[in-house]
Amino acid sequence: MKRKQYSENEILDVLAQVEAGTAIGDVARLSGVSKATIHRWQARYGGMTKDDAKRVRQLEEENRRLKKLVADLALDNSILKEVVSRKW
């Protein structure tokens, strides 16, 4: 059986139903996920709004780009140190 990938907006909608007072078992059955999945989503997205989730996604993307930049600069630095340390 193929698993459905839920978007952040769908996840936040499911969590909003839980926060509104609907039982977790009922929400899990209606959305087609397990109770454990909802608890995992609550741990990750608990209390977030859609704007917060968008901001987190942007920050994660920026962090990924910065880590790549630092790795590239560290590699360049090590290559330059190796070149300078050689005796001509």
Side-chain angles (χ1 to χ4, degrees), residues 2-82:
K2 186 169 177 155
R3 295 174 52 186
K4 181 178 187 289
Q5 292 289 331
Y6 288 88
S7 69
E8 287 180 344
N9 288 335
E10 292 172 329
I11 292 170
L12 292 173
D13 289 339
V14 169
L15 293 179
Q17 292 175 359
V18 171
E19 289 175 4
T22 310
I24 291 179
D26 295 338
V27 174
R29 189 171 13 85
L30 291 174
S31 60
V33 297
S34 69
K35 291 179 185 179
T37 300
I38 291 179
H39 288 295
R40 192 173 57 243
W41 288 348
Q42 283 178 329
R44 179 167 180 169
Y45 298 103
M48 267 192 209
T49 63
K50 292 181 181 184
D51 292 333
D52 293 339
K54 183 179 179 181
R55 179 71 177 143
V56 167
R57 194 174 342 110
Q58 288 173 345
L59 289 173
E60 287 173 348
E61 176 65 22
E62 181 181 2
N63 192 24
R64 185 192 61 77
R65 283 187 290 116
L66 290 173
K67 282 184 177 181
K68 185 175 186 266
L69 181 64
V70 167
D72 290 341
L73 290 174
L75 180 62
D76 290 344
N77 189 13
S78 66
I79 290 172
L80 291 174
K81 282 183 180 180
E82 184 179 322

